[in-house]
Amino acid sequence: MPGELERIAQIKDPFELLRAATQRLAEAQQEVTELARLRRRLIQDLHAQGMSYAQIAQAAGLSRGRIHQIRHTGPAPEGAFLGSGEVIVVTPLRPDPASDRTYVALDDLTTGKRLEELARTFDLSVSYDHVTLDGEIDLNRPGMLVICGPRMSPAMRDAYGKDPVIAWDRDERGWLLRDTRTGAEYRSGQEEEPQRPYDVGYLGRLPRPDGKGHFLAIAGIHPEGSLGVVHLLTTDIGSLWGQVGADRFSVVIGTEYDPDTHEPLRTELLTPVYRHDEDS
């Protein structure tokens, strides 16, 4: 923006000028990325509606070759499933029983790292935050990708309570996920007799407490379930984006994993992908 450029150029302090120019450049680069993503998505949507690339090019005043180039280059539209510009990957802190320090569990770290890698493939900037030991986390921010279940955070427990279809519950056997529409219950294989290397996890987009947006929530009954959710995202995010876009939804995901490495071997959708606007 010329006005913003002029404002920055008039800064007298050279270090303040350097900081302002660097910050504005980063913001401009994010804007360019998101505009390119939007442009590519529009072309895909118009083509899916039945328009040929030649018709799109003529209506937009661009060459057919340029439309094909936009269609096949730039950030993929399905990256908007995670957010736009910058996303924040959130993992819970845990107490170290041997000291007064806190740490992020290796399983949570692995899940967060893979979610970060996925986001970066869509040209999204990534930063990190944590759920505190007391379970506190500020959910009223854009781009939140929260890996945390209801047990470790009252804020997340309240957020999950806003889901109109999938509910977290607990009984003498442990935690479970319940489809309130069908009554079906989903439990981890670790609570079965005999035990089996199978876990279930939650994936959903839930409303922020301030009502001014939403965030993505990921949680397994055990860490293997969370890792399975991210594994499914890396392999099937396009399908999920096609079904729900940026709207609110939730689904239960099952994960069969290697008992030695805990790596996901197979993931499956255990419930339909429920759009929450259909339940409001």
Side-chain angles (χ1 to χ4, degrees):
M1 297 173 60
E4 185 70 1
L5 175 59
E6 291 174 2
R7 182 192 68 80
I8 293 173
Q10 291 173 2
I11 296 174
K12 301 302 183 184
D13 185 290
F15 300 105
E16 183 181 349
L17 173 59
L18 181 59
R19 285 192 297 269
T22 301
Q23 180 179 353
R24 180 57 194 144
L25 183 59
E27 293 169 350
Q29 288 172 338
Q30 286 187 354
E31 290 174 6
V32 168
T33 297
E34 292 310 316
L35 285 170
R37 193 189 316 278
L38 175 61
R39 186 175 59 174
R40 182 174 173 183
R41 189 184 81 192
L42 285 171
I43 291 173
Q44 289 183 355
D45 289 347
L46 290 169
H47 186 63
Q49 292 168 16
M51 292 185 70
S52 69
Y53 292 126
Q55 290 172 324
I56 297 171
Q58 182 177 9
L62 299 171
S63 69
R64 183 174 179 179
R66 182 64 176 138
I67 291 295
H68 273 285
Q69 182 185 38
I70 294 170
R71 168 66 180 83
H72 295 289
T73 60
E78 56 266 31
F81 183 88
L82 300 176
S84 64
E86 180 180 9
V87 296
I88 306 170
V89 176
V90 179
T91 51
L93 291 174
R94 301 174 187 266
D96 183 354
S99 68
D100 294 332
R101 298 180 179 179
T102 60
Y103 71 101
V104 178
L106 179 59
D107 291 326
D108 293 333
L109 190 65
T110 300
T111 303
K113 183 63 176 176
R114 291 185 183 174
L115 190 57
E116 174 195 353
E117 292 169 351
L118 175 63
R120 292 194 187 281
T121 65
F122 295 113
D123 293 336
L124 294 167
S125 299
V126 182
S127 61
Y128 273 92
D129 198 2
H130 300 291
V131 178
T132 68
L133 291 181
D134 295 331
E136 296 299 320
I137 179 65
D138 178 11
L139 298 172
N140 295 325
R141 292 175 285 171
M144 300 286 283
L145 310 177
V146 186
I147 305 168
C148 182
R151 180 179 67 86
M152 300 189 68
S153 170
M156 288 301 296
R157 186 160 56 246
D158 290 344
Y160 285 120
K162 301 295 193 302
D163 188 317
V165 188
I166 306 298
W168 286 88
D169 202 356
R170 191 177 188 180
D171 59 18
E172 66 281 358
R173 290 175 57 190
W175 286 92
L176 62 109
L177 284 161
R178 178 181 291 110
D179 183 333
T180 61
R181 180 171 293 180
T182 66
E185 296 181 349
Y186 303 96
R187 298 177 182 269
S188 171
Q190 295 184 34
E191 276 74 65
E192 296 179 1
E193 290 293 342
Q195 293 186 353
R196 64 187 180 107
Y198 187 85
D199 200 31
V200 297
Y202 175 102
L203 172 65
R205 190 176 289 121
L206 299 172
R208 286 168 28 174
D210 63 4
K212 297 180 180 179
H214 45 243
F215 67 95
L216 202 69
I218 295 171
I221 292 181
H222 298 286
E224 293 86 353
S226 298
L227 191 58
V229 170
V230 175
H231 178 77
L232 182 134
L233 278 175
T234 62
T235 58
D236 212 22
I237 193 171
S239 174
L240 290 168
W241 167 252
Q243 293 181 67
V244 300
D247 296 330
R248 289 172 50 198
F249 77 97
S250 57
V251 62
V252 179
I253 296 167
T255 300
E256 179 184 345
Y257 59 88
D258 186 299
D260 296 321
T261 66
H262 296 197
E263 284 291 320
L265 299 175
R266 181 179 63 88
T267 58
E268 59 181 340
L269 300 183
L270 299 179
T271 68
V273 180
Y274 289 116
R275 294 176 61 106
H276 292 179
D277 55 359
E278 298 173 354
D279 296 274
S280 50

